[in-house]
Amino acid sequence: MRKALRAAVAVLATAALVATAAPPASAGGKSLRDAAPRYLKIGTAVAGGGHHVDQPYPDPFPNDRKYRQVLAREFSSASPENQMKWEFIHPERHRYNFGPADAIVAFARRHGQVVRGHTLLWHSQNPAWLEEGTFTKAELRRILKEHIFTVVGRYRGKIQQWDVANEIFNENGEYRQENIFIRELGPGIVADAFRWAHQADPRAQLFLNDYGVEWPGVKVDAYHALASELLAARVPLHGFASQAHLSMRYGAPDQLAAVLQRFDDLGLHTAITELDVRMDLPVTDEKLATQAVYYRTALDACLAVDGCNSFTIWGFTDKYSWVPVFFPAEGAATVMWDDFSRKPAYHTLRDTLAAAPRRHH
Ligand code: 9MR
């Protein structure tokens, strides 16, 4: 008996030793999606269209098998990077191009991923027929309504969240006059877009989405006022999202949790939808360590806020990142190198997810 007890104590002591020697979060060989608490979707942009069209590689999603393998393994949410934008999905007034978006939605379903639809009301990447056409106000309104019913309706029940209104305020917190719908029809069109999207897919969570809202300021205030107004008018608004395109020139997003909390307090979901962290080239180990801290700070912000249910990075490999194309002196903004090997930021995200409280929403 005593011998058995001694043996048991020995086993326990060994277990304790092993436990202290193990890495804190014991993320082991897990993927990001497996390390995450179940309520939190871990997403990525799905590369294609946009800047990719001018690059010396074939369209990434359909052509890069390794890319699709990592996409399926690591993520539980997929955001078409360009394939649901107006210029891509609605290239002529009476023609839609659904093929690439359909393929992403089908892939996501096969791999147990949700989809974030992006986007319905935006000033950028609109087709020439829309931007340069001459329409009466009534026609323009009908065009937007038809577009929303057609696109949202096609994927009804298959989209977890839609970025209904994207980047509608400028840096001064004013409605962007570059947005053809807002300029021609007035800001009231934003509420209509949410109502139409909700009619077309009552289960989708409908979001406001923007960059430059990672710190408090007039832009955040403008969104807070708009969100409060829409909710008071019973417009089906369900969430507020920070894109979080970060640069190491501007500091870590240390007030992001406080910003998200303001919208959580209104009863909205919140999300990080396009996170990346660019650095001045060349890359150094020190910069990679700082980059990991930025990624972690953004993830911690989402984890700290109850209704933050979606955390998406804007691409997972530098191979296809938009950053070097738009910011020539900067790069290395994603969590993996061109060959899909992992940077410190990847490991930090995974360890943080593995250590996160398992909450239910
Ligand atoms: O990553 C997208 C890139 O392929 C396009 O060329 C670019 C055109 O504006 O848009 C990029 O995605 C943007 C997203 O749709 C909205 N927020 C900013 C993103 C980075 O520009």
Side-chain angles (χ1 to χ4, degrees):
M1 194 59 194
R2 243 191 285 141
K3 200 171 158 197
L5 193 63
R6 255 205 320 273
V9 168
V11 167
L12 281 176
T14 317
L17 269 181
V18 170
T20 32
S26 70
K30 281 185 178 171
S31 63
L32 296 175
R33 68 185 285 180
D34 292 337
R38 279 180 69 91
Y39 76 87
L40 181 62
K41 300 298 176 195
I42 305 301
T44 178
V46 177
H51 77 277
H52 302 287
V53 171
D54 305 319
Q55 302 305 305
Y57 50 69
D59 197 23
F61 176 71
N63 291 292
D64 188 336
R65 189 154 171 267
K66 173 79 181 166
Y67 175 84
R68 288 196 303 276
Q69 278 169 358
V70 179
L71 171 64
R73 179 186 136 83
E74 296 290 339
F75 298 95
S76 51
S77 176
S79 301
E81 185 175 6
N82 294 288
Q83 301 90 334
M84 287 187 180
K85 292 174 180 173
W86 274 75
E87 72 171 5
F88 198 102
I89 207 166
H90 197 170
E92 292 167 40
R93 178 153 185 198
H94 299 292
R95 185 171 70 83
Y96 285 86
N97 170 32
F98 287 124
D102 284 359
I104 293 170
V105 172
F107 178 92
R109 288 173 77 75
R110 272 203 306 285
H111 295 97
Q113 298 167 325
V114 299
V115 178
R116 292 197 85 264
H118 178 78
T119 177
L120 301 170
L121 182 75
W122 193 25
H123 64 276
S124 181
Q125 288 184 276
N126 287 328
W129 70 262
L130 172 68
E131 290 284 342
E132 289 156 28
T134 38
F135 305 109
T136 65
K137 289 189 193 313
E139 276 170 340
L140 194 60
R141 191 177 152 79
R142 202 164 48 240
I143 286 169
L144 178 63
K145 183 174 180 180
E146 272 174 23
H147 177 91
I148 291 178
F149 272 92
T150 305
V151 176
V152 178
R154 183 176 184 89
Y155 302 112
R156 183 187 176 102
K158 299 178 177 171
I159 302 278
Q160 182 208 21
Q161 302 183 339
W162 264 108
D163 291 329
V164 174
N166 194 40
E167 303 170 5
I168 55 172
F169 291 123
N170 65 21
E171 302 322 296
N172 302 319
E174 298 151 346
Y175 281 101
R176 272 188 196 267
Q177 294 307 305
E178 309 97 287
N179 185 310
I180 183 173
F181 301 108
I182 290 175
R183 182 178 66 241
E184 301 298 326
L185 304 174
I189 196 64
V190 174
D192 288 330
F194 277 91
R195 291 192 187 99
W196 293 330
H198 185 61
Q199 284 170 34
D201 186 353
R203 282 198 284 153
Q205 296 166 7
L206 306 183
F207 272 71
L208 294 164
N209 186 53
D210 211 330
Y211 65 86
V213 292
E214 291 70 38
W215 285 266
V218 287
K219 206 169 181 181
V220 170
D221 292 344
Y223 275 106
H224 194 266
L226 173 62
S228 308
E229 241 174 70
L230 293 176
L231 292 172
R234 299 188 171 280
V235 174
L237 165 70
H238 309 117
F240 170 79
S242 152
Q243 294 178 2
H245 290 291
L246 304 174
S247 163
M248 282 170 44
R249 293 180 184 181
Y250 309 124
D254 50 7
Q255 297 184 62
L256 185 50
V259 170
L260 297 181
Q261 189 60 50
R262 284 186 70 191
F263 293 88
D264 193 81
D265 290 344
L266 293 177
L268 293 174
H269 285 297
T270 53
I272 307 292
T273 49
E274 306 183 13
L275 176 61
D276 48 22
V277 181
R278 55 189 192 269
M279 63 180 74
D280 285 302
L281 300 174
V283 177
T284 64
D285 285 349
E286 202 188 336
K287 289 181 196 172
L288 289 172
T290 304
Q291 179 184 54
V293 173
Y294 279 47
Y295 268 98
R296 190 199 163 134
T297 307
L299 175 56
D300 278 342
C302 184
L303 291 170
V305 175
D306 262 3
C308 188
N309 60 358
S310 175
F311 177 84
T312 288
I313 59 180
W314 206 238
F316 53 88
T317 167
D318 288 348
K319 188 177 180 185
Y320 297 133
S321 171
W322 71 292
V323 166
V325 178
F326 285 74
F327 301 93
E330 295 173 90
T334 76
V335 300
M336 292 182 193
W337 301 107
D338 285 21
D339 65 358
F340 304 100
S341 58
R342 297 157 179 181
K343 298 182 189 171
Y346 172 91
H347 295 287
T348 301
L349 286 184
R350 197 178 62 180
D351 290 347
T352 305
L353 289 168
R358 316 277 116 173
R359 294 190 270 117
H360 293 288
H361 287 261

PDB file of all heavy atoms in Angstrom, residues 48-52 81-82 85 118 122 124-125 166-167 209 211 243 245 274 314 322 326, ligand 1:
ATOM      1  N   GLY A  48      -6.879  37.548 -54.002  1.00  0.00           N
ATOM      2  CA  GLY A  48      -7.301  37.519 -55.402  1.00  0.00           C
ATOM      3  C   GLY A  48      -7.876  38.862 -55.806  1.00  0.00           C
ATOM      4  O   GLY A  48      -8.357  39.614 -54.959  1.00  0.00           O
ATOM      5  N   GLY A  49      -7.798  39.187 -57.104  1.00  0.00           N
ATOM      6  CA  GLY A  49      -8.304  40.465 -57.609  1.00  0.00           C
ATOM      7  C   GLY A  49      -7.449  41.621 -57.097  1.00  0.00           C
ATOM      8  O   GLY A  49      -6.328  41.422 -56.616  1.00  0.00           O
ATOM      9  N   GLY A  50      -7.959  42.852 -57.186  1.00  0.00           N
ATOM     10  CA  GLY A  50      -7.251  44.027 -56.663  1.00  0.00           C
ATOM     11  C   GLY A  50      -5.811  44.110 -57.143  1.00  0.00           C
ATOM     12  O   GLY A  50      -5.535  43.925 -58.333  1.00  0.00           O
ATOM     13  N   HIS A  51      -4.886  44.333 -56.203  1.00  0.00           N
ATOM     14  CA  HIS A  51      -3.491  44.517 -56.588  1.00  0.00           C
ATOM     15  C   HIS A  51      -2.864  43.256 -57.187  1.00  0.00           C
ATOM     16  O   HIS A  51      -1.874  43.336 -57.915  1.00  0.00           O
ATOM     17  CB  HIS A  51      -2.660  44.968 -55.371  1.00  0.00           C
ATOM     18  CG  HIS A  51      -2.347  43.864 -54.417  1.00  0.00           C
ATOM     19  ND1 HIS A  51      -3.228  43.448 -53.436  1.00  0.00           N
ATOM     20  CD2 HIS A  51      -1.254  43.046 -54.299  1.00  0.00           C
ATOM     21  CE1 HIS A  51      -2.686  42.450 -52.761  1.00  0.00           C
ATOM     22  NE2 HIS A  51      -1.497  42.192 -53.254  1.00  0.00           N
ATOM     23  N   HIS A  52      -3.442  42.102 -56.881  1.00  0.00           N
ATOM     24  CA  HIS A  52      -2.859  40.846 -57.372  1.00  0.00           C
ATOM     25  C   HIS A  52      -2.840  40.779 -58.899  1.00  0.00           C
ATOM     26  O   HIS A  52      -1.962  40.146 -59.488  1.00  0.00           O
ATOM     27  CB  HIS A  52      -3.649  39.647 -56.832  1.00  0.00           C
ATOM     28  CG  HIS A  52      -3.697  39.591 -55.339  1.00  0.00           C
ATOM     29  ND1 HIS A  52      -2.619  39.237 -54.565  1.00  0.00           N
ATOM     30  CD2 HIS A  52      -4.694  39.880 -54.462  1.00  0.00           C
ATOM     31  CE1 HIS A  52      -2.950  39.293 -53.272  1.00  0.00           C
ATOM     32  NE2 HIS A  52      -4.209  39.690 -53.189  1.00  0.00           N
ATOM     33  N   GLU A  81     -10.871  39.050 -50.433  1.00  0.00           N
ATOM     34  CA  GLU A  81     -10.111  40.299 -50.356  1.00  0.00           C
ATOM     35  C   GLU A  81     -10.659  41.345 -51.328  1.00  0.00           C
ATOM     36  O   GLU A  81     -10.717  42.531 -51.001  1.00  0.00           O
ATOM     37  CB  GLU A  81      -8.637  40.016 -50.668  1.00  0.00           C
ATOM     38  CG  GLU A  81      -7.747  41.234 -50.506  1.00  0.00           C
ATOM     39  CD  GLU A  81      -6.266  40.905 -50.695  1.00  0.00           C
ATOM     40  OE1 GLU A  81      -5.932  39.764 -51.055  1.00  0.00           O
ATOM     41  OE2 GLU A  81      -5.444  41.810 -50.482  1.00  0.00           O
ATOM     42  N   ASN A  82     -11.051  40.892 -52.506  1.00  0.00           N
ATOM     43  CA  ASN A  82     -11.594  41.796 -53.530  1.00  0.00           C
ATOM     44  C   ASN A  82     -12.800  41.209 -54.262  1.00  0.00           C
ATOM     45  O   ASN A  82     -13.499  41.929 -54.965  1.00  0.00           O
ATOM     46  CB  ASN A  82     -10.511  42.102 -54.592  1.00  0.00           C
ATOM     47  CG  ASN A  82      -9.351  42.902 -54.018  1.00  0.00           C
ATOM     48  OD1 ASN A  82      -9.483  44.087 -53.714  1.00  0.00           O
ATOM     49  ND2 ASN A  82      -8.201  42.251 -53.837  1.00  0.00           N
ATOM     50  N   LYS A  85     -16.258  42.803 -54.076  1.00  0.00           N
ATOM     51  CA  LYS A  85     -16.372  44.258 -54.262  1.00  0.00           C
ATOM     52  C   LYS A  85     -17.107  44.542 -55.577  1.00  0.00           C
ATOM     53  O   LYS A  85     -17.049  43.742 -56.517  1.00  0.00           O
ATOM     54  CB  LYS A  85     -14.972  44.882 -54.269  1.00  0.00           C
ATOM     55  CG  LYS A  85     -14.285  44.809 -52.904  1.00  0.00           C
ATOM     56  CD  LYS A  85     -12.847  45.300 -52.968  1.00  0.00           C
ATOM     57  CE  LYS A  85     -12.177  45.220 -51.593  1.00  0.00           C
ATOM     58  NZ  LYS A  85     -10.730  45.524 -51.650  1.00  0.00           N
ATOM     59  N   HIS A 118     -17.532  41.342 -47.948  1.00  0.00           N
ATOM     60  CA  HIS A 118     -16.832  42.637 -48.009  1.00  0.00           C
ATOM     61  C   HIS A 118     -16.903  43.130 -49.449  1.00  0.00           C
ATOM     62  O   HIS A 118     -16.296  42.488 -50.294  1.00  0.00           O
ATOM     63  CB  HIS A 118     -15.391  42.417 -47.543  1.00  0.00           C
ATOM     64  CG  HIS A 118     -14.507  43.623 -47.594  1.00  0.00           C
ATOM     65  ND1 HIS A 118     -14.565  44.608 -46.647  1.00  0.00           N
ATOM     66  CD2 HIS A 118     -13.538  44.004 -48.478  1.00  0.00           C
ATOM     67  CE1 HIS A 118     -13.653  45.536 -46.932  1.00  0.00           C
ATOM     68  NE2 HIS A 118     -13.024  45.191 -48.043  1.00  0.00           N
ATOM     69  N   TRP A 122     -19.229  51.528 -50.581  1.00  0.00           N
ATOM     70  CA  TRP A 122     -17.841  51.981 -50.434  1.00  0.00           C
ATOM     71  C   TRP A 122     -17.549  52.998 -51.522  1.00  0.00           C
ATOM     72  O   TRP A 122     -18.194  52.977 -52.577  1.00  0.00           O
ATOM     73  CB  TRP A 122     -16.903  50.756 -50.552  1.00  0.00           C
ATOM     74  CG  TRP A 122     -15.481  50.978 -50.134  1.00  0.00           C
ATOM     75  CD1 TRP A 122     -15.011  51.908 -49.264  1.00  0.00           C
ATOM     76  CD2 TRP A 122     -14.331  50.235 -50.584  1.00  0.00           C
ATOM     77  NE1 TRP A 122     -13.643  51.788 -49.124  1.00  0.00           N
ATOM     78  CE2 TRP A 122     -13.198  50.775 -49.925  1.00  0.00           C
ATOM     79  CE3 TRP A 122     -14.152  49.162 -51.466  1.00  0.00           C
ATOM     80  CZ2 TRP A 122     -11.904  50.281 -50.128  1.00  0.00           C
ATOM     81  CZ3 TRP A 122     -12.871  48.665 -51.671  1.00  0.00           C
ATOM     82  CH2 TRP A 122     -11.756  49.222 -51.002  1.00  0.00           C
ATOM     83  N   SER A 124     -14.581  53.196 -53.007  1.00  0.00           N
ATOM     84  CA  SER A 124     -13.454  52.715 -53.819  1.00  0.00           C
ATOM     85  C   SER A 124     -13.820  51.417 -54.540  1.00  0.00           C
ATOM     86  O   SER A 124     -14.748  50.718 -54.145  1.00  0.00           O
ATOM     87  CB  SER A 124     -12.266  52.491 -52.884  1.00  0.00           C
ATOM     88  OG  SER A 124     -11.149  52.056 -53.599  1.00  0.00           O
ATOM     89  N   GLN A 125     -13.033  51.097 -55.574  1.00  0.00           N
ATOM     90  CA  GLN A 125     -13.209  49.852 -56.326  1.00  0.00           C
ATOM     91  C   GLN A 125     -14.649  49.662 -56.816  1.00  0.00           C
ATOM     92  O   GLN A 125     -15.215  48.571 -56.740  1.00  0.00           O
ATOM     93  CB  GLN A 125     -12.721  48.651 -55.520  1.00  0.00           C
ATOM     94  CG  GLN A 125     -11.188  48.624 -55.425  1.00  0.00           C
ATOM     95  CD  GLN A 125     -10.674  47.392 -54.726  1.00  0.00           C
ATOM     96  OE1 GLN A 125     -10.610  47.342 -53.497  1.00  0.00           O
ATOM     97  NE2 GLN A 125     -10.296  46.384 -55.495  1.00  0.00           N
ATOM     98  N   ASN A 166     -18.457  50.581 -45.669  1.00  0.00           N
ATOM     99  CA  ASN A 166     -17.005  50.556 -45.502  1.00  0.00           C
ATOM    100  C   ASN A 166     -16.430  51.960 -45.677  1.00  0.00           C
ATOM    101  O   ASN A 166     -16.671  52.617 -46.695  1.00  0.00           O
ATOM    102  CB  ASN A 166     -16.401  49.624 -46.553  1.00  0.00           C
ATOM    103  CG  ASN A 166     -14.956  49.266 -46.275  1.00  0.00           C
ATOM    104  OD1 ASN A 166     -14.594  49.038 -45.122  1.00  0.00           O
ATOM    105  ND2 ASN A 166     -14.140  49.214 -47.306  1.00  0.00           N
ATOM    106  N   GLU A 167     -15.693  52.410 -44.670  1.00  0.00           N
ATOM    107  CA  GLU A 167     -14.933  53.666 -44.773  1.00  0.00           C
ATOM    108  C   GLU A 167     -15.814  54.850 -45.182  1.00  0.00           C
ATOM    109  O   GLU A 167     -15.460  55.609 -46.082  1.00  0.00           O
ATOM    110  CB  GLU A 167     -13.761  53.484 -45.760  1.00  0.00           C
ATOM    111  CG  GLU A 167     -12.839  52.343 -45.360  1.00  0.00           C
ATOM    112  CD  GLU A 167     -11.809  51.959 -46.429  1.00  0.00           C
ATOM    113  OE1 GLU A 167     -11.739  52.631 -47.460  1.00  0.00           O
ATOM    114  OE2 GLU A 167     -11.089  50.973 -46.213  1.00  0.00           O
ATOM    115  N   ASN A 209     -17.446  49.325 -40.920  1.00  0.00           N
ATOM    116  CA  ASN A 209     -16.046  48.884 -40.953  1.00  0.00           C
ATOM    117  C   ASN A 209     -15.173  50.050 -41.403  1.00  0.00           C
ATOM    118  O   ASN A 209     -15.509  50.744 -42.361  1.00  0.00           O
ATOM    119  CB  ASN A 209     -15.948  47.729 -41.973  1.00  0.00           C
ATOM    120  CG  ASN A 209     -14.596  47.056 -42.028  1.00  0.00           C
ATOM    121  OD1 ASN A 209     -14.066  46.628 -40.996  1.00  0.00           O
ATOM    122  ND2 ASN A 209     -14.028  46.925 -43.228  1.00  0.00           N
ATOM    123  N   TYR A 211     -10.831  51.944 -41.219  1.00  0.00           N
ATOM    124  CA  TYR A 211      -9.470  52.044 -40.679  1.00  0.00           C
ATOM    125  C   TYR A 211      -9.354  53.390 -39.955  1.00  0.00           C
ATOM    126  O   TYR A 211     -10.246  54.241 -40.042  1.00  0.00           O
ATOM    127  CB  TYR A 211      -8.432  51.943 -41.808  1.00  0.00           C
ATOM    128  CG  TYR A 211      -8.470  53.068 -42.803  1.00  0.00           C
ATOM    129  CD1 TYR A 211      -7.776  54.252 -42.578  1.00  0.00           C
ATOM    130  CD2 TYR A 211      -9.212  52.957 -43.974  1.00  0.00           C
ATOM    131  CE1 TYR A 211      -7.817  55.295 -43.488  1.00  0.00           C
ATOM    132  CE2 TYR A 211      -9.267  54.006 -44.903  1.00  0.00           C
ATOM    133  CZ  TYR A 211      -8.569  55.168 -44.645  1.00  0.00           C
ATOM    134  OH  TYR A 211      -8.628  56.200 -45.546  1.00  0.00           O
ATOM    135  N   GLN A 243     -10.504  47.903 -38.888  1.00  0.00           N
ATOM    136  CA  GLN A 243      -9.687  47.143 -39.852  1.00  0.00           C
ATOM    137  C   GLN A 243      -8.315  46.845 -39.244  1.00  0.00           C
ATOM    138  O   GLN A 243      -7.789  45.750 -39.402  1.00  0.00           O
ATOM    139  CB  GLN A 243      -9.516  47.943 -41.141  1.00  0.00           C
ATOM    140  CG  GLN A 243     -10.810  48.150 -41.918  1.00  0.00           C
ATOM    141  CD  GLN A 243     -10.618  48.990 -43.174  1.00  0.00           C
ATOM    142  OE1 GLN A 243      -9.496  49.400 -43.508  1.00  0.00           O
ATOM    143  NE2 GLN A 243     -11.708  49.256 -43.874  1.00  0.00           N
ATOM    144  N   HIS A 245      -5.134  48.249 -39.941  1.00  0.00           N
ATOM    145  CA  HIS A 245      -3.914  48.230 -40.766  1.00  0.00           C
ATOM    146  C   HIS A 245      -2.880  49.070 -40.024  1.00  0.00           C
ATOM    147  O   HIS A 245      -2.937  50.297 -40.031  1.00  0.00           O
ATOM    148  CB  HIS A 245      -4.184  48.823 -42.150  1.00  0.00           C
ATOM    149  CG  HIS A 245      -5.062  47.954 -42.994  1.00  0.00           C
ATOM    150  ND1 HIS A 245      -4.632  46.736 -43.482  1.00  0.00           N
ATOM    151  CD2 HIS A 245      -6.338  48.101 -43.396  1.00  0.00           C
ATOM    152  CE1 HIS A 245      -5.606  46.178 -44.175  1.00  0.00           C
ATOM    153  NE2 HIS A 245      -6.662  46.982 -44.136  1.00  0.00           N
ATOM    154  N   GLU A 274      -9.052  43.468 -40.599  1.00  0.00           N
ATOM    155  CA  GLU A 274      -8.022  43.503 -41.652  1.00  0.00           C
ATOM    156  C   GLU A 274      -6.626  43.708 -41.072  1.00  0.00           C
ATOM    157  O   GLU A 274      -5.787  44.401 -41.648  1.00  0.00           O
ATOM    158  CB  GLU A 274      -8.326  44.625 -42.662  1.00  0.00           C
ATOM    159  CG  GLU A 274      -9.718  44.540 -43.258  1.00  0.00           C
ATOM    160  CD  GLU A 274     -10.022  45.609 -44.310  1.00  0.00           C
ATOM    161  OE1 GLU A 274      -9.084  46.281 -44.780  1.00  0.00           O
ATOM    162  OE2 GLU A 274     -11.202  45.758 -44.661  1.00  0.00           O
ATOM    163  N   TRP A 314      -5.232  40.493 -42.583  1.00  0.00           N
ATOM    164  CA  TRP A 314      -5.434  40.806 -44.006  1.00  0.00           C
ATOM    165  C   TRP A 314      -4.380  40.081 -44.839  1.00  0.00           C
ATOM    166  O   TRP A 314      -3.463  40.666 -45.378  1.00  0.00           O
ATOM    167  CB  TRP A 314      -5.422  42.318 -44.235  1.00  0.00           C
ATOM    168  CG  TRP A 314      -6.215  42.731 -45.452  1.00  0.00           C
ATOM    169  CD1 TRP A 314      -5.745  43.437 -46.535  1.00  0.00           C
ATOM    170  CD2 TRP A 314      -7.601  42.501 -45.705  1.00  0.00           C
ATOM    171  NE1 TRP A 314      -6.766  43.631 -47.441  1.00  0.00           N
ATOM    172  CE2 TRP A 314      -7.914  43.072 -46.961  1.00  0.00           C
ATOM    173  CE3 TRP A 314      -8.627  41.843 -44.996  1.00  0.00           C
ATOM    174  CZ2 TRP A 314      -9.204  43.020 -47.533  1.00  0.00           C
ATOM    175  CZ3 TRP A 314      -9.900  41.783 -45.552  1.00  0.00           C
ATOM    176  CH2 TRP A 314     -10.174  42.357 -46.803  1.00  0.00           C
ATOM    177  N   TRP A 322      -0.784  43.110 -49.743  1.00  0.00           N
ATOM    178  CA  TRP A 322      -0.988  44.368 -50.481  1.00  0.00           C
ATOM    179  C   TRP A 322       0.045  45.424 -50.086  1.00  0.00           C
ATOM    180  O   TRP A 322       0.283  46.375 -50.813  1.00  0.00           O
ATOM    181  CB  TRP A 322      -2.398  44.906 -50.190  1.00  0.00           C
ATOM    182  CG  TRP A 322      -2.556  45.438 -48.775  1.00  0.00           C
ATOM    183  CD1 TRP A 322      -2.531  44.723 -47.610  1.00  0.00           C
ATOM    184  CD2 TRP A 322      -2.737  46.808 -48.386  1.00  0.00           C
ATOM    185  NE1 TRP A 322      -2.695  45.547 -46.519  1.00  0.00           N
ATOM    186  CE2 TRP A 322      -2.830  46.838 -46.969  1.00  0.00           C
ATOM    187  CE3 TRP A 322      -2.846  48.017 -49.089  1.00  0.00           C
ATOM    188  CZ2 TRP A 322      -2.999  48.023 -46.244  1.00  0.00           C
ATOM    189  CZ3 TRP A 322      -3.023  49.192 -48.367  1.00  0.00           C
ATOM    190  CH2 TRP A 322      -3.095  49.185 -46.962  1.00  0.00           C
ATOM    191  N   PHE A 326       1.525  49.123 -51.992  1.00  0.00           N
ATOM    192  CA  PHE A 326       0.979  50.438 -51.642  1.00  0.00           C
ATOM    193  C   PHE A 326       1.955  51.296 -50.833  1.00  0.00           C
ATOM    194  O   PHE A 326       1.831  52.513 -50.809  1.00  0.00           O
ATOM    195  CB  PHE A 326      -0.326  50.273 -50.857  1.00  0.00           C
ATOM    196  CG  PHE A 326      -1.504  49.871 -51.705  1.00  0.00           C
ATOM    197  CD1 PHE A 326      -1.631  48.573 -52.188  1.00  0.00           C
ATOM    198  CD2 PHE A 326      -2.491  50.797 -52.045  1.00  0.00           C
ATOM    199  CE1 PHE A 326      -2.718  48.196 -52.982  1.00  0.00           C
ATOM    200  CE2 PHE A 326      -3.575  50.432 -52.829  1.00  0.00           C
ATOM    201  CZ  PHE A 326      -3.691  49.128 -53.309  1.00  0.00           C
TER     202      PHE A 326
HETATM  203  O1  9MR B   1      -6.089  44.150 -50.247  1.00  0.00           O
HETATM  204  C1  9MR B   1      -6.840  44.884 -51.166  1.00  0.00           C
HETATM  205  C2  9MR B   1      -6.032  45.084 -52.440  1.00  0.00           C
HETATM  206  O2  9MR B   1      -5.865  43.864 -53.109  1.00  0.00           O
HETATM  207  C3  9MR B   1      -6.691  46.105 -53.336  1.00  0.00           C
HETATM  208  O3  9MR B   1      -5.844  46.375 -54.439  1.00  0.00           O
HETATM  209  C4  9MR B   1      -7.000  47.364 -52.537  1.00  0.00           C
HETATM  210  C5  9MR B   1      -7.659  48.437 -53.391  1.00  0.00           C
HETATM  211  O4  9MR B   1      -8.112  49.489 -52.610  1.00  0.00           O
HETATM  212  O5  9MR B   1      -7.853  47.031 -51.469  1.00  0.00           O
HETATM  213  C6  9MR B   1      -7.230  46.203 -50.539  1.00  0.00           C
HETATM  214  O6  9MR B   1      -8.093  45.946 -49.447  1.00  0.00           O
HETATM  215  C7  9MR B   1      -8.570  47.077 -48.718  1.00  0.00           C
HETATM  216  C8  9MR B   1      -9.912  46.712 -48.132  1.00  0.00           C
HETATM  217  O7  9MR B   1     -10.789  46.286 -49.129  1.00  0.00           O
HETATM  218  C9  9MR B   1     -10.517  47.876 -47.372  1.00  0.00           C
HETATM  219  N1  9MR B   1      -9.610  48.391 -46.378  1.00  0.00           N
HETATM  220  C10 9MR B   1      -8.261  48.690 -46.841  1.00  0.00           C
HETATM  221  C11 9MR B   1      -7.668  47.467 -47.546  1.00  0.00           C
HETATM  222  C12 9MR B   1      -6.223  47.728 -47.920  1.00  0.00           C
HETATM  223  O8  9MR B   1      -6.153  48.741 -48.874  1.00  0.00           O
END
